[in-house]
Amino acid sequence: MQIDDALIAYLEDLSYLSLTDGEKLRLRGDLEKILTSMARLGAVPTDGVPERSHPFDHVNAFREDGAKASCDRQLILRNAPGGNSGNNGNSEFFVAPQTVDYDEGAEAGAGGGIGGPAEVGTEPPAPPEVE
Amino acid sequence: MAMAKATQRDADTDALSLSAAIASGQARVADVVGAALDAIAQKDKQYNAFLSVGNEAAMARAREVQASIDAGRAPSPLAGVPIAIKDNISTAGAQTTCASKMLGGYTPVFNATVVDKLEKAGLVVVGKLNMDEFAMGGSSETGVNGPVRNPWDVSRVAGGSSGGSAAAVAAGEVPLALGADTGGSIRQPCAFCGVVGIKPTYGAVSRYGLIAYASSLDQIGPIAQNIDDCAALLSIISGPDKRDSTCIIDKPFPFTEIHPEHLDGVRIGRPRNYFGGALEAGTRRAVLSASEVFRAAGADVSDFEMPMMDDMVSAYYIIACAEASSNLSRYDGLKYGYRSDNATTLSEVYRLTRSEGFGMEVKRRIMLGSFVLSSGYYDAYYKKALQVRALLKNVYNDLFSRFDMILSPVAPTTAYRIGENVDDPMTMYMGDIYTVPVNLAGLPAVSLPCGFDDKGLPVGFQLIGNAFSEPALIGAARVYQDLSRGWVGP
């Protein structure tokens, strides 16, 4: 199977990864070999065979539905990158970069407040044609 | 390098001998645990089996367990025995990194259920074990802290992904370890290092707190010098768990002696086509010899042709990578572990953190999983693999109407040299050809040593059983162990 740059870029977007040029080159060769080998499954007759996503038919062991204490919030937040200080000193929430603009001046006015997204995601490219 | 001569190890270094000595007052828990910590300090620079060691915590725990024993409350047949744990199993307050930069410094706030069970049973956790990054590999070379080295020949891999677990037991650093097996990750390192391991039935041991790689395939299991120690540990870690809805077993496996005197009437199938092709001659010879031991014990050993043998690696890697791409989407740089210093926007935090935090094999499997799940390819790859998995279940259902157990090699080769295959993913993946069908079908298997190849490296074989047939597999393994050489170490 031929792996081109567009497909690698598409998979990077799907995976939230950015590969170096060297990694891309390696991955192209690896994926070609691996997917060519995997394509042999196409020869296995499976018409009418149900898909099995789990080893057994019995897939759920139920427990009683009741409220109970969960983990300690401060302990959990300590694992945020950099700990409490790295988490911008915040001991209540996980801190992430701002994703929406907030226009304070517009708050009092009509329709004020939250503006458009600060960053606009790119649409993933259309998947290549199936061979 | 020169091969260490295999010698009979002292019988009293196995877990049940140690716990018996502790129970009778001949040994103190602190001495036994201290000896393990000393062994790690002395030996592990050579093997790199450990990622972290908790000296003070282990000694404090040893004193607590001793107090219980002194008060007449020995909590289990393994009370006081030191154990080490694969680093993808969560330990509250002790770093759990999956040998990845992505989880550097991560300290779980809860124990995996198996760790809670170990503590309740009075075992003493001494440290966390090296592995392939996020358990993705068969050689324990892809971890951020460097490769595990095989105690039989330190220029060779220990196998993987539970290479640290197998090497630590083989080197005599600890008598017991926990590993986890997604596609052979307990059985193959046990074979490469000459120790015993059990991959339990899917749903026999709780996965709560096991950091997920491929959730429909992962299973935690024991590694030890011999089958009795493995059976004792399995009886402790198995059993239902309200926190894992896939843990469908109704009660723990018993640790009563299932020790038949012979195997008369036991039907053992030997897949003829597993013994050709890529199987090295020395491994073939050793595994066939093992099957003759079973025949001598009274078992009816007969050959059969395993259907779809060459399709299993493809089906496995499609399913495992698909599940991995979903499971590893949780690593976003916000809640725990690594975060890129170069990111300013949220999108960059995700993307740069993942690009800088994951190693190449993890990236390869995430992207492969994204591919097989993507629009346009889903039916041809992922759906097809799930259908092949259904066909494989039918194959095993038929086989277990004709046989009680299946005996096969674990891996086509013995331990190869560090660096020999790490840049060749197809060769690495094909090394899993005999182990992955067991995970796809959720079956139990025991990996046992059966001698050495021409290079003097350990060879292993596996006994595969029907779902929840662990007691029968353990009984057969005990008969084999009685009739074979028993434990030898490097």
Side-chain angles (χ1 to χ4, degrees), chain A residues 1-3 7-20 22-24 26-27 30-31 33-64 68 71-72 74-82 86-88 94-99 118-119 121-122 127-131, chain B residues 105-110 201-203 216 242-248 308 310-311 313-315 317-319 323 333-339 344-352 354-355 358 360 363-364 366-368 370-372 374-378 381-391 393 422-426 429-430 439-443 467-468:
Chain A
M1 174 170 189
Q2 193 73 25
I3 307 293
L7 180 57
I8 294 287
Y10 177 52
L11 296 178
E12 285 180 282
D13 282 346
L14 289 177
S15 310
Y16 257 116
L17 289 168
S18 297
L19 302 187
T20 64
E23 287 175 331
K24 284 180 193 171
R26 244 176 102 178
L27 195 75
D30 291 344
L31 285 186
K33 278 191 225 165
I34 294 166
L35 292 172
T36 299
S37 172
M38 286 176 171
R40 61 172 294 123
L41 282 190
V44 179
T46 53
D47 284 351
V49 176
E51 299 151 51
R52 178 175 275 284
S53 58
H54 192 275
F56 301 117
D57 296 328
H58 179 188
V59 295
N60 208 351
F62 289 101
R63 66 177 176 226
E64 69 281 5
K68 60 172 186 171
C71 297
D72 180 87
Q74 297 308 315
L75 280 178
I76 291 172
L77 285 167
R78 210 176 288 167
N79 266 311
N87 199 31
N88 287 353
F94 292 112
V95 174
Q98 186 177 350
T99 55
E119 42 176 318
T122 52
E129 293 295 313
V130 183
E131 288 184 356
Chain B
Y106 169 61
T107 305
V109 298
F110 60 93
T201 305
Y202 184 89
S216 80
K242 290 178 178 177
R243 293 177 293 188
D244 176 3
S245 65
T246 64
C247 196
I248 58 176
M308 302 195 301
D310 294 326
D311 299 317
V313 169
S314 293
Y317 274 96
I318 290 170
I319 292 168
E323 294 185 16
L334 295 180
K335 302 182 292 295
Y336 39 74
Y338 177 73
R339 181 188 293 183
T344 51
T345 67
L346 184 63
S347 180
E348 284 176 357
V349 169
Y350 295 157
R351 198 145 179 154
L352 295 179
R354 291 166 62 79
S355 302
F358 289 136
M360 190 61 204
K363 291 178 188 175
R364 187 185 286 125
I366 289 173
M367 292 182 74
L368 200 51
S370 297
F371 175 87
V372 300
S374 65
S375 172
Y377 297 107
Y378 181 96
Y381 287 89
Y382 185 62
K383 180 180 172 188
K384 189 78 176 183
L386 295 183
Q387 290 175 309
V388 169
R389 187 180 197 176
L391 293 176
K393 281 295 288 186
V422 72
D423 291 323
D424 182 356
M426 273 310 295
Y429 297 173
M430 291 310 293
N439 301 77
L440 287 170
L443 301 174
F468 300 105

Side-chain angles (χ1 to χ4, degrees), chain B residues 185-234:
Chain B
S185 286
I186 288 175
R187 289 161 287 157
Q188 184 255 33
C190 283
F192 279 16
C193 292
V195 295
V196 179
I198 300 177
K199 183 268 167 196
T201 305
Y202 184 89
V205 176
S206 170
R207 291 182 298 113
Y208 179 79
L210 171 65
I211 295 177
Y213 157 27
S215 307
S216 80
L217 303 162
D218 297 337
Q219 194 68 183
I220 296 169
I223 294 175
Q225 292 176 12
N226 60 54
I227 190 65
D228 305 279
D229 287 357
C230 277
L233 184 51
L234 182 64

Side-chain angles (χ1 to χ4, degrees), chain B residues 12 16 30 143-144 154-155 170 176 183 287 292 295 326 385 409 421 428 474:
Chain B
D12 62 2
L16 286 167
V144 70
V154 292
S155 72
L176 292 173
V287 178
E292 293 309 315
R295 189 169 272 154
S326 172
N421 295 331
M428 293 288 278
I474 289 165

Side-chain angles (χ1 to χ4, degrees), chain B residues 299-314:
Chain B
D300 174 14
V301 180
S302 55
D303 294 330
F304 68 96
E305 194 79 4
M306 181 71 183
M308 302 195 301
M309 170 186 165
D310 294 326
D311 299 317
M312 290 303 111
V313 169
S314 293

Side-chain angles (χ1 to χ4, degrees), chain B residues 130-465:
Chain B
N130 203 353
M131 54 187 278
D132 281 296
E133 184 181 8
F134 282 103
M136 296 182 189
S139 61
S140 299
E141 292 174 282
T142 65
V144 70
N145 288 50
V148 180
R149 297 179 177 276
N150 193 315
W152 290 89
D153 178 346
V154 292
S155 72
R156 294 178 184 273
V157 301
S161 63
S162 309
S165 306
V169 172
E173 294 174 321
V174 281
L176 292 173
L178 287 185
D181 192 316
T182 305
S185 286
I186 288 175
R187 289 161 287 157
Q188 184 255 33
C190 283
F192 279 16
C193 292
V195 295
V196 179
I198 300 177
K199 183 268 167 196
T201 305
Y202 184 89
V205 176
S206 170
R207 291 182 298 113
Y208 179 79
L210 171 65
I211 295 177
Y213 157 27
S215 307
S216 80
L217 303 162
D218 297 337
Q219 194 68 183
I220 296 169
I223 294 175
Q225 292 176 12
N226 60 54
I227 190 65
D228 305 279
D229 287 357
C230 277
L233 184 51
L234 182 64
S235 74
I236 288 167
I237 62 171
S238 60
D241 180 15
K242 290 178 178 177
R243 293 177 293 188
D244 176 3
S245 65
T246 64
C247 196
I248 58 176
I249 192 171
D250 58 352
K251 58 180 187 293
F253 291 115
F255 180 59
T256 46
E257 284 283 319
I258 304 159
H259 200 148
E261 289 183 6
H262 56 73
L263 297 175
D264 288 353
V266 175
R267 301 163 299 168
I268 296 180
R270 207 168 49 178
R272 189 183 297 110
N273 46 339
Y274 277 24
F275 289 83
L279 188 67
E280 280 185 354
T283 301
R284 180 188 300 114
R285 190 170 57 243
V287 178
L288 288 174
S289 297
S291 68
E292 293 309 315
V293 173
F294 284 93
R295 189 169 272 154
D300 174 14
V301 180
S302 55
D303 294 330
F304 68 96
E305 194 79 4
M306 181 71 183
M308 302 195 301
M309 170 186 165
D310 294 326
D311 299 317
M312 290 303 111
V313 169
S314 293
Y316 168 80
Y317 274 96
I318 290 170
I319 292 168
C321 292
E323 294 185 16
S325 73
S326 172
N327 274 323
L328 272 66
S329 65
R330 73 191 62 183
Y331 300 103
D332 58 7
L334 295 180
K335 302 182 292 295
Y336 39 74
Y338 177 73
R339 181 188 293 183
S340 172
D341 291 332
N342 303 312
T344 51
T345 67
L346 184 63
S347 180
E348 284 176 357
V349 169
Y350 295 157
R351 198 145 179 154
L352 295 179
T353 293
R354 291 166 62 79
S355 302
E356 295 167 16
F358 289 136
M360 190 61 204
E361 181 60 27
V362 175
K363 291 178 188 175
R364 187 185 286 125
R365 294 195 192 194
I366 289 173
M367 292 182 74
L368 200 51
S370 297
F371 175 87
V372 300
L373 291 174
S374 65
S375 172
Y377 297 107
Y378 181 96
D379 284 359
Y381 287 89
Y382 185 62
K383 180 180 172 188
K384 189 78 176 183
L386 295 183
Q387 290 175 309
V388 169
R389 187 180 197 176
L391 293 176
L392 178 69
K393 281 295 288 186
N394 296 340
V395 165
Y396 275 117
N397 287 342
D398 172 59
L399 287 172
F400 287 116
S401 70
R402 294 152 51 199
F403 303 112
D404 300 302
M405 297 165 199
I406 294 166
L407 186 153
S408 93
V410 170
T413 69
T414 50
Y416 40 84
R417 293 202 181 278
I418 289 171
E420 191 174 331
N421 295 331
V422 72
D423 291 323
D424 182 356
M426 273 310 295
T427 299
M428 293 288 278
Y429 297 173
M430 291 310 293
D432 301 335
I433 190 166
Y434 308 131
T435 48
V436 293
V438 169
N439 301 77
L440 287 170
L443 301 174
V446 178
S447 179
L448 294 153
C450 59
F452 301 86
D453 71 356
D454 296 337
K455 298 187 280 286
L457 297 168
V459 179
F461 72 99
Q462 59 181 337
L463 269 186
I464 303 161

